[in-house]
Amino acid sequence: MTFKRSEARSEGILRFDLAIQKTRLFVYSASVLTAIAGEALGVITVKRLFALLFWLAGAASTAVMVEFYRRGISRRVLNPVWMGADIILTTLGVYATGGSTSPWFIWYLATASAVAFVSGKRAAYLVNFLNAVAYIGVLMLMGEAAIGNDVFLLAVCRMAFLFSASYFFLAGIGDLQQKRLEIRNLELAESRKVEELTRLTAELNRRTEELAEANRRTQEADRLKSQFLANMSHELRTPMNSIIGFSEILIERLDGKVEEKQVGFMRHILASGQHLLGLISDILDLSKIEAGKMEIFPETFDPFAVITSVCQTMHGMTREPQPEVVIDIPPDLPRIETDVAKFRQILLNLLSNAAKFAPPDKPVTITARAVGSPDSDDGALTVSVRDEGIGIDPSNHDVIFQEFRQVDGTARRGFGGTGLGLALVKKFVELQGGYVTLESAPGRGSTFSFTLPLRSRAAIVSRGPQPPAGDAQAVDQVLVVEDDARAYELISSALSSAGYVSIRARHGEEALRLARANRPVAITLDLVLPGMDGWELLKQLKSDDVTREIPVVIVSLVDNRELGIALGADDYFVKPVDRDRFLGRIRSITSANAFPAKSRLLLIDDDEAVHSFLDAELARLGYAVESVYSGEEGLTAARRNTPDLIILDLMMPGMSGFEVAGALKDDAETRNIPILVLTSKDPTSAECRELQSKVASFVPKGASAREQLVREIRRLERRGRTS
């Protein structure tokens, strides 16, 4: 007979089966000893040789079963074998001890009990039936019983009494066995649960270690990303600064001296450099926002002045022909607390987007309205930019605010762009606790609106030093009253190179309003204007208590110097204007806010290109500039010949700008020298805190860095003069 090994036999079941076999050997031994004792007492007759053979057969059966169990043969095969062997051996005992007169049949109860304990009640009842069949059968084979005779009936009664007497005993053993099986199954289930929990715990520990390692790698990647962004900022902005700076100088110096076509080439170079710098800044800003490292620098300012300043900045940046920008803002707007640099960037992005899509003969309109009460927490400011362009289908309203997404993203699209401007608008506004809305439909133009709380609700706030925000009151403004765009561009370019911020008025009414609101340091006036002419405007300016002290310089095609001076003009220029003489006169009439002549500046920067275009420009504006190319040389120069102002780069080989600023402030001879940082690095909040008590101002390299630098020099000198 071929036996197969059972699957997954547990150690507990094997120990139970081996214990049963040892019990069988004990029962066989007890039965033989009882038989021998009964023979000695004369109760029964037993053949000693048979008793020995009976015990040997039982011992052999037990040994064979033990070996088979240990080999892992299935219990379903082995259990019926030893149960049948017990029935046979007990029946042989009945035969050997006298048949019907022998009490040996009692041992059938041992077999039934063992079966009940091992396999349950049903198996015990079946074995009892087989015991009865075997007992009656052996008596019939011995010729003692025949169907219906007294011996047969006696045998039947004996088996019935035996079964009846043992019924509850066997039922109890069976129930005990059932409970044991249930307990064993529960133990197995619990064991499996423990094993599963152990496995899950090990898996959880492994996953935890993997997550910890992934987190470590993420932190390292974040650190490397931040380092890369800082290096990228410096390495890309530095050459772009040179491209933009030299282009601006060439355009200013060569305009009118070379062919207009060549000036156009230089303007294209400048525009491309500014465009690339804008893309670099947008990508860096987007990366910082995604990394949760974009900081907000809240300050309170007049939104009217900043919106006006942004509109002036936009001049010359949009395509030709340029759409007119109409400002529809009430003069009594409440002041707002938010990041003014980001406020400007939001408005610039919306204006650039509007100028790209607006028809050249239709204006772009800016409106601003206060929402709620200015004194309550729900007070807000809503600024809208309206263009009359192609419009946007409502199904695409969400798309245009996603990074690098455009309504028409094909290679044949009619409008350029990277899809970053509006995405940054949305992120900047939401970062400051506001929201953006869009009203647009195909053929009906677009109105982009953003709403910011009047009190800052920014999540990530830093109040350390920051680049100049561009508040109109922090710089010298010149109101340029000029309706001709080309003429305004020439005057504005000249004023910017000297550190002034230009504000444009296209007609007399607008000029009066801006002059009263902004209090510029000077006004340049064209006499030929739509509506109110320049003569009438000049008279009203000089008769108004608010504006009469503002110097007015007439710049016009009309040559009537005597009348202009008689009406109160401070000087008179006939177009085309001599640039240097014009700037010299503007500087002289604004001398109340000007600086000491021949102020000495120390420029510390390792970039030769920066020295090339700044040295000449600053010298042309009346500054004496000493140039050094390293931090160590800068410290030596500052101690040797104390300058009025130090212009310092942060990123230099050897001794960095941070170390230079610290050393200057630690030295009693140099600690009072104001430091103006000119850098392509975007300082972190930690670096801002480190420099907070050491530097007076920041100017980022890049677009308009030259004009911002001159304005900051003028502002710092004015502050030093009045302190």
Side-chain angles (χ1 to χ4, degrees):
M1 184 176 183
T2 304
F3 300 104
K4 295 183 178 179
R5 293 182 179 273
S6 64
E7 299 178 358
R9 177 179 298 276
S10 69
E11 288 294 327
I13 295 176
L14 177 61
R15 287 194 299 269
F16 174 78
D17 290 335
L18 295 179
I20 292 295
Q21 297 308 311
K22 293 177 182 178
T23 302
R24 287 181 66 224
L25 180 60
F26 172 77
V27 171
Y28 289 143
S29 301
S31 63
V32 170
L33 293 175
T34 302
I36 293 174
E39 182 187 25
L41 295 172
V43 177
I44 58 174
T45 302
V46 178
K47 297 177 183 178
R48 303 231 174 167
L49 179 59
F50 178 82
L52 178 61
L53 293 174
F54 175 85
W55 184 86
L56 290 175
S61 170
T62 301
V64 171
M65 289 298 107
V66 168
E67 181 62 24
F68 284 168
Y69 277 119
R70 285 177 173 171
R71 290 189 178 186
I73 297 175
S74 174
R75 300 176 76 243
R76 294 183 179 181
V77 174
L78 295 181
N79 285 350
V81 171
W82 66 259
M83 293 175 187
D86 282 357
I87 294 172
I88 293 172
L89 289 174
T90 303
T91 303
L92 290 176
V94 171
Y95 173 79
T97 57
S100 62
T101 60
S102 172
W104 196 269
F105 69 90
I106 296 297
W107 291 108
Y108 282 119
L109 182 59
T111 302
S113 300
V115 172
F117 189 67
V118 173
S119 300
K121 292 185 291 184
R122 293 182 180 180
Y125 298 156
L126 176 61
V127 167
N128 265 335
F129 174 76
L130 294 177
N131 284 337
V133 171
Y135 181 60
I136 295 172
V138 72
L139 293 181
M140 293 178 69
L141 288 175
M142 293 175 65
E144 294 183 10
I147 296 176
N149 68 2
D150 293 341
V151 175
F152 178 84
L153 294 176
L154 178 63
V156 172
C157 288
R158 284 177 176 174
M159 289 296 102
F161 289 153
L162 187 65
F163 177 76
S164 299
S166 64
Y167 175 81
F168 292 105
F169 173 70
L170 296 178
I173 294 177
D175 289 339
L176 181 63
Q177 166 63 6
Q178 183 64 29
K179 297 297 183 182
R180 188 187 69 82
L181 290 175
E182 292 177 0
I183 292 172
R184 186 182 69 185
N185 291 335
L186 289 175
E187 289 176 347
L188 291 175
E190 291 299 322
S191 177
R192 286 193 294 270
K193 288 182 180 179
V194 171
E195 291 176 358
E196 181 66 13
L197 286 174
T198 302
R199 186 188 67 79
L200 290 176
T201 301
E203 180 70 12
L204 182 61
N205 290 336
R206 185 180 66 82
R207 293 292 180 89
T208 302
E209 292 175 358
E210 290 178 354
L211 287 175
E213 177 63 20
N215 185 54
R216 187 194 63 78
R217 290 197 299 267
T218 300
Q219 292 176 346
E220 178 65 13
D222 186 60
R223 185 188 66 81
L224 293 175
K225 178 182 178 181
S226 299
Q227 181 179 346
F228 169 75
L229 290 176
N231 293 337
M232 178 183 176
S233 171
H234 180 263
E235 295 300 327
L236 292 179
R237 284 174 173 168
T238 297
M240 294 309 303
N241 180 63
S242 299
I243 293 172
I244 293 171
F246 284 124
S247 299
E248 289 175 340
I249 292 174
L250 289 174
I251 291 171
E252 291 175 5
R253 300 290 179 82
L254 299 180
D255 193 9
K257 298 180 181 179
V258 299
E259 296 180 9
E260 182 63 28
K261 183 178 181 180
Q262 294 172 332
V263 175
F265 292 159
M266 289 183 285
R267 293 186 186 278
H268 280 301
I269 294 172
L270 175 59
S272 297
Q274 291 173 334
H275 179 66
L276 287 175
L277 183 63
L279 290 180
I280 294 168
S281 298
D282 287 348
I283 293 174
L284 291 174
D285 285 343
L286 186 62
S287 299
K288 285 197 291 185
I289 292 173
E290 291 177 347
K293 295 184 177 180
M294 176 60 73
E295 295 177 312
I296 302 299
F297 302 95
E299 58 182 293
T300 302
F301 59 91
D302 178 11
F304 178 83
V306 174
I307 292 172
T308 304
S309 174
V310 170
C311 291
Q312 304 307 320
T313 303
M314 272 295 299
H315 186 83
M317 295 176 60
T318 54
R319 59 180 172 82
E320 295 286 354
Q322 301 175 16
E324 181 184 2
V325 178
V326 176
I327 301 176
D328 179 17
I329 300 176
D332 58 346
L333 279 179
R335 294 173 69 81
I336 183 173
E337 181 191 30
T338 190
D339 188 319
V340 67
K342 291 177 177 57
F343 184 92
R344 287 172 55 86
Q345 187 62 48
I346 292 166
L347 195 55
L348 276 171
N349 286 4
L350 291 180
L351 282 172
S352 298
N353 182 74
K356 181 168 64 175
F357 292 100
D361 57 339
K362 294 185 178 180
V364 172
T365 304
I366 302 176
T367 59
R369 298 290 183 270
V371 180
S373 173
D375 299 326
S376 64
D377 292 337
D378 62 350
L381 177 71
T382 297
V383 180
S384 301
V385 178
R386 168 75 183 173
D387 70 76
E388 303 298 331
I390 59 176
I392 304 169
D393 190 274
S395 62
N396 292 316
H397 284 191
D398 291 335
V399 172
I400 61 174
F401 289 107
Q402 298 175 13
E403 298 91 338
F404 307 105
R405 293 289 301 275
Q406 294 176 310
V407 174
D408 180 9
T410 65
R412 300 176 62 184
R413 65 182 187 269
F415 299 93
T418 61
L420 280 178
L422 293 177
L424 283 173
V425 165
K426 187 172 186 292
K427 290 182 181 294
F428 280 154
V429 171
E430 291 177 348
L431 197 63
Q432 300 180 86
Y435 58 90
V436 180
T437 59
L438 168 61
E439 296 178 7
S440 183
R444 298 183 180 180
S446 303
T447 301
F448 288 87
S449 302
F450 66 94
T451 301
L452 291 173
L454 293 178
R455 297 178 183 176
S456 177
R457 299 176 190 168
I460 306 174
V461 177
S462 176
R463 298 185 183 272
Q466 62 264 15
D471 192 331
Q473 302 304 319
V475 294
D476 289 336
Q477 295 180 319
V478 175
L479 176 60
V480 180
V481 187
E482 178 63 70
D483 65 322
D484 181 78
R486 176 60 178 166
Y488 169 76
E489 183 178 351
L490 292 172
I491 296 173
S492 175
S493 175
L495 291 171
S496 295
S497 68
Y500 297 95
V501 172
S502 301
I503 306 174
R504 184 184 180 188
R506 294 173 176 80
H507 51 79
E509 291 79 4
E510 184 180 21
L512 285 172
R513 179 170 60 85
L514 292 176
R516 294 188 183 107
N518 290 52
R519 301 288 186 87
V521 297
I523 298 174
T524 71
L525 174 61
D526 186 16
L527 295 175
V528 181
L529 297 171
M532 179 191 305
D533 65 18
W535 300 114
E536 178 63 25
L537 175 59
L538 179 60
K539 287 190 291 184
Q540 291 197 28
L541 288 170
K542 291 303 177 182
S543 62
D544 191 317
D545 292 338
V546 177
T547 60
R548 73 164 47 125
E549 300 300 327
I550 302 175
V552 178
V553 176
I554 295 176
V555 181
S556 179
L557 292 171
V558 178
D559 187 1
N560 196 341
R561 180 182 177 84
E562 292 78 9
L563 179 59
I565 299 299
L567 291 176
D570 291 80
D571 209 334
Y572 199 110
F573 289 85
V574 179
K575 297 177 181 178
V577 177
D578 183 286
R579 181 189 184 95
D580 292 335
R581 192 171 72 84
F582 170 73
L583 289 179
R585 185 58 179 144
I586 291 292
R587 282 196 291 269
S588 67
I589 65 176
T590 59
S591 58
N593 293 322
F595 325 120
K598 299 298 181 183
S599 296
R600 289 179 293 107
L601 309 179
L602 174 61
L603 176 59
I604 308 174
D605 198 307
D606 63 318
D607 188 353
E608 294 185 5
V610 172
H611 289 276
S612 297
F613 72 82
L614 281 187
D615 288 356
E617 285 299 295
L618 294 174
R620 185 173 66 88
L621 295 174
Y623 297 102
V625 182
E626 181 179 0
S627 297
V628 295
Y629 294 85
S630 68
E632 294 83 355
E633 293 176 341
L635 288 176
T636 302
R639 291 163 181 158
R640 181 184 65 248
N641 188 15
T642 304
D644 298 310
L645 178 70
I646 295 175
I647 303 172
L648 175 65
D649 185 20
L650 292 179
M651 303 291 288
M652 294 184 293
M655 193 175 193
S656 71
F658 297 95
E659 296 171 317
V660 172
L664 288 170
K665 292 304 176 183
D666 290 339
D667 192 327
E669 296 181 4
T670 59
R671 67 174 50 146
N672 294 323
I673 304 174
I675 300 174
L676 194 162
V677 170
L678 175 66
T679 183
S680 57
K681 177 177 174 57
D682 193 3
T684 65
S685 59
E687 291 170 339
C688 284
R689 286 191 295 270
E690 179 183 349
L691 293 172
Q692 187 168 10
S693 60
K694 300 175 183 177
V695 303
S697 184
F698 281 78
V699 173
K701 289 181 180 178
S704 304
R706 183 170 53 116
E707 290 84 353
Q708 290 187 45
L709 179 67
V710 174
R711 286 199 296 270
E712 281 302 293
I713 292 173
R714 292 169 61 89
R715 184 181 67 84
L716 292 174
E717 287 191 329
R718 181 169 62 249
R719 188 179 71 181
R721 181 174 176 270
T722 57
S723 62

